[in-house]
Amino acid sequence: MSDKLTATNTLRATRIKSVKTENPTTKTFTVKDTQCAKAKPGQFLMLWIPRVDEIPLSIMGTEGNRVSVTVKNVGEATQTLHRMAQGDTVGVRGPFGNTFTPSSGKVLLVAGGTGTAPLLFLAKKLAVKAKRLAFIVGAKTRNELIFLNQLEPLCTEQPTATTEDGTYGLKCLTTHPLEQLIAKEKFDMVYACGPERMTRQVFNLTEKHHVPMQASLERLMRCGIGICGSCMIGKYRVCKDGPVFTSQQLREVKDELGISKLGFDGNRIPV
Ligand SMILES: Cc1cc2nc3c(=O)[nH]c(=O)nc-3n(C[C@H](O)[C@H](O)[C@H](O)COP(=O)(O)OP(=O)(O)OC[C@H]3O[C@@H](n4cnc5c(N)ncnc54)[C@H](O)[C@@H]3O)c2cc1C
Ligand code: FES
């Protein structure tokens, strides 16, 4: 193991600097960590929640020596984290994984749920050089939409919001406005992060309209550094070869993308 990886992979205890409630199920946690504060959009960290578990989380942003993650309360570890407050101790490893490759020209970002967090981080970088920056953000219902206010000033046009129940924005899935946009105009790159079934549909549409894409994928993760094999998709380890994959790589794993993944017992389970 190289010295650099050893340092990145060392668990560092730190304190929560702030907690912000984004919606009833989602909070943003900011901690001090000089290494993760150097992360680029697309990378993730492993957050250790004392006495419970260690979980992978996408980096939502960095500022000075601080790093933020936006976390949905879905199970034991995230529920315990949601009960924690400023000053509480957590552990951090990372940053891990590859990054989105920023594209200039016309770019379109498609986010679902907490997948909006890493794409907000990316949008901040893209905003400097993109000729057109369009954003489609979707959720099941109005109060699950996140970061709309922060996205607005970064985009060259009003972000398109979709909800499945029609309580805000368009009543549809994110893929509906996506198809309308990419059928009408040639984008240089589509970026996606969200539920994998959404990513699969984004992949199908970008293939149909011959637009390159980059998607951040999730798999069950244990080590985060390419050793345990729990995060495999096709021949790739999502933690090390990803989590960001290009159209070319997504084509290679299309038998699994949005269909199945390995469970913690090594058996294949539906996505
Ligand atoms: C690269 C990556 C980035 C992620 N970024 C975010 C993020 O920014 N915000 C966010 O809210 N969530 C993110 N997740 C998902 C997050 O890791 C899980 O929601 C969390 O681990 C659930 O833990 P739990 O104990 O609360 O829930 P559990 O009850 O243990 O599990 C609930 C569900 O979460 C998933 N999960 C559980 N453990 C893991 C694990 N070790 N690795 C991956 N998935 C797991 C499984 O699908 C499981 O069915 C990311 C996952 C990956 C792989
Ligand atoms: S999480 Fe262990 S190889 Fe990816």
Side-chain angles (χ1 to χ4, degrees):
M1 217 183 260
S2 72
D3 288 351
K4 192 165 172 241
L5 180 57
T6 308
T8 307
N9 195 35
T10 302
L11 184 69
R12 285 119 27 208
T14 185
R15 285 183 197 279
I16 297 174
K17 289 285 173 196
S18 67
V19 182
K20 181 168 181 261
T21 300
E22 306 290 356
N23 68 32
T25 57
T26 307
K27 292 183 180 181
T28 294
F29 297 84
T30 299
V31 300
K32 185 178 154 197
D33 186 68
T34 38
Q35 294 205 54
C36 284
K38 293 183 194 133
K40 295 207 165 61
Q43 290 191 291
F44 69 95
L45 54 76
M46 296 294 294
L47 189 76
W48 173 65
I49 297 143
R51 294 171 295 280
V52 184
D53 203 355
E54 192 191 33
I55 60 170
L57 295 166
S58 299
I59 291 170
M60 182 278 265
T62 59
E63 202 178 332
N65 57 12
R66 294 180 181 198
V67 59
S68 299
V69 287
T70 298
V71 189
K72 184 165 182 179
N73 179 350
V74 294
E76 200 188 352
T78 49
Q79 191 175 63
T80 307
L81 180 64
H82 269 240
R83 282 195 227 106
M84 295 174 82
Q86 188 181 344
D88 286 344
T89 299
V90 289
V92 176
R93 288 192 291 134
F96 296 125
N98 66 355
T99 66
F100 288 108
T101 304
S103 169
S104 48
K106 297 178 188 173
V107 296
L108 173 55
L109 287 71
V110 188
T114 50
T116 316
L119 292 191
L120 169 64
F121 191 20
L122 174 66
K124 287 180 183 165
K125 307 284 173 195
L126 292 174
V128 184
K129 58 179 189 170
K131 200 162 111 198
R132 179 170 179 197
L133 201 168
F135 208 114
I136 304 171
V137 54
K140 285 200 169 66
T141 186
R142 181 190 183 113
N143 66 11
E144 286 183 11
L145 282 168
I146 49 172
F147 300 134
L148 264 180
N149 291 345
Q150 294 184 54
L151 290 172
E152 269 175 28
L154 300 172
C155 297
T156 54
E157 58 216 72
Q158 184 71 18
T160 304
T162 68
T163 51
E164 288 176 35
D165 63 3
T167 45
Y168 191 86
L170 304 173
K171 184 181 180 184
C172 57
L173 299 173
T174 50
T175 42
H176 183 70
L178 167 69
E179 177 147 40
Q180 290 181 328
L181 278 170
I182 61 174
K184 220 167 48 188
E185 199 174 334
K186 182 90 184 131
F187 279 86
D188 295 296
M189 186 63 72
V190 169
Y191 297 93
C193 189
E196 199 167 304
R197 274 174 293 181
M198 178 201 91
T199 302
R200 177 58 195 241
Q201 293 310 316
V202 176
F203 170 71
N204 291 347
L205 289 171
T206 54
E207 289 291 279
K208 181 177 159 195
H209 294 279
H210 309 291
V211 188
M213 79 173 282
Q214 295 173 38
S216 173
L217 302 183
E218 282 187 15
R219 279 293 176 275
L220 296 176
M221 286 184 187
R222 283 292 187 216
C223 69
I225 56 167
I227 293 171
C228 71
S230 66
C231 66
M232 299 301 292
I233 181 164
K235 65 178 183 186
Y236 296 112
R237 291 159 298 180
V238 173
C239 68
K240 201 161 192 289
D241 305 314
V244 178
F245 291 90
T246 62
S247 299
Q248 172 59 39
Q249 293 171 311
L250 296 172
R251 268 173 227 136
E252 294 170 35
V253 299
K254 68 176 184 212
D255 291 346
E256 291 179 41
L257 182 69
I259 299 167
S260 68
K261 63 180 180 182
L262 295 179
F264 280 127
D265 61 2
N267 288 318
R268 202 152 274 288
I269 54 171
V271 163

